[in-house]
Amino acid sequence: MSIAMPRKAMLFAAGAGSRMRPLTEETAKPLLTVDGRSILDHVLDRLETAGVPEVVVNVCWQAGKVRAALRARAEAGRGPHVTARAEETLLESGGSAAAALRDGALGPEPFFLLNGDSLWLNGPVAALRRLAAAFDPARMDALLLLARTSLAVGAVGRGDFTSDPDGRLCRAEPGRVTPYVFAGVQLAAPALFADAPPGPFSLNLLWDRAIARGRLYGIVHDSVWCHLSRPEDLPAATRALRLAREPDAAERDAAS
């Protein structure tokens, strides 16, 4: 079973990006550039390409600069339609999405949630469309895009999840390397947020509840994925994107 392409998404862009310092001392992490364009533009482009028309972007750190970037994009006639949602204090991923859902900004249907420090290239089918095609609300509260730890660009540690043959996820055992890391993109049903607490909290809280119910699933990404957490990850991601897009040109750049 699958669902229609979701019409709404939320992009997390409020954090201070402490691991990216000094680059984030005077700017927001989603405004840092990879391959000549901001992370924010890359992710919004993926949403536009997949046909998602409405996006909520939470803002806090350097909110004025993020809002200015969003205005510039809109004035240039580029989609999707974006609503900036201000947070006076950081609510973390779970708290931000729960607040937007309670206020009606994300609607009653499943919606995408995207981290502001992940960047990916699409495979033969856009990753967001793959998530929609695989999502079954009868079995799932959330469907996560996973990347193989062995192929990820950037630091991913020991990984996050293991998966059974049906894609149902379990947490990694402490101290063990696992095959998959969360790729910062997911499709969630409002049911994931049932009884969510007020205030700041991580989505990990709700994922653990879903795991206990057997309702957290994942699919594995089929192209390049980059985790952008440290300054050195930005040039590494640029090289990876160029190599995937234009292998000969990227090799010439590396040799020069």
Side-chain angles (χ1 to χ4, degrees):
M1 182 178 179
S2 63
I3 60 171
M5 193 65 189
R7 295 187 54 78
K8 293 182 180 289
M10 184 169 188
L11 171 60
F12 300 124
S18 58
R19 288 178 294 178
M20 272 289 187
R21 290 176 182 166
L23 301 181
T24 50
E25 288 177 354
E26 296 185 358
T27 195
K29 181 162 65 171
L31 299 183
L32 299 176
T33 58
V34 172
D35 198 16
R37 304 183 61 241
S38 72
I39 302 167
L40 182 73
D41 272 328
H42 280 291
V43 177
L44 290 174
D45 284 351
R46 304 294 187 274
L47 287 159
E48 183 180 27
T49 297
V52 180
E54 300 284 339
V55 182
V56 176
V57 177
N58 68 334
V59 296
C60 184
W61 175 248
Q62 299 292 333
K65 292 182 178 180
V66 177
R67 289 180 183 275
L70 294 173
R71 284 195 301 271
R73 184 181 175 95
E75 289 168 359
R78 296 163 61 194
H81 179 267
V82 176
T83 301
R85 182 181 178 85
E87 295 180 5
E88 293 185 5
T89 58
L90 292 174
L91 294 174
E92 301 183 46
S93 55
S96 295
L101 185 60
R102 283 194 296 267
D103 292 350
L106 294 176
E109 303 298 329
F111 47 84
F112 292 110
L113 298 173
L114 305 101
N115 291 358
D117 61 358
S118 292
L119 186 57
W120 71 97
L121 288 180
N122 286 316
V125 177
L128 298 176
R129 291 192 175 278
R130 290 185 63 220
L131 285 166
F135 190 79
D136 181 356
R139 296 185 297 130
M140 303 172 185
D141 288 339
L143 179 64
L144 278 53
L145 186 67
L146 305 175
R148 292 179 175 86
T149 54
S150 59
L151 300 178
V153 177
V156 296
R158 295 177 177 270
D160 298 320
F161 298 103
T162 59
S163 173
D164 73 10
D166 293 327
R168 187 182 288 109
L169 300 183
C170 291
R171 288 287 188 185
E173 295 182 14
R176 295 192 63 181
V177 176
T178 58
Y180 303 121
V181 61
F182 174 52
V185 183
Q186 64 185 296
L187 180 51
L192 179 70
F193 293 85
D195 301 319
F201 69 92
S202 169
L203 276 165
N204 282 292
L205 172 67
L206 304 185
W207 290 347
D208 287 342
R209 292 180 180 179
I211 287 171
R213 296 191 296 267
R215 294 183 60 84
L216 188 71
Y217 283 74
I219 61 171
V220 180
H221 187 45
D222 57 358
S223 187
V224 174
W225 175 75
C226 308
H227 184 219
L228 308 172
S229 63
R230 309 163 302 171
E232 58 265 36
D233 294 334
L234 301 176
T238 293
R239 289 192 297 271
L241 296 187
R242 290 178 179 175
L243 181 61
R245 189 175 61 246
E246 301 177 81
D248 293 340
E251 290 174 4
R252 287 196 301 270
D253 289 345
S256 62

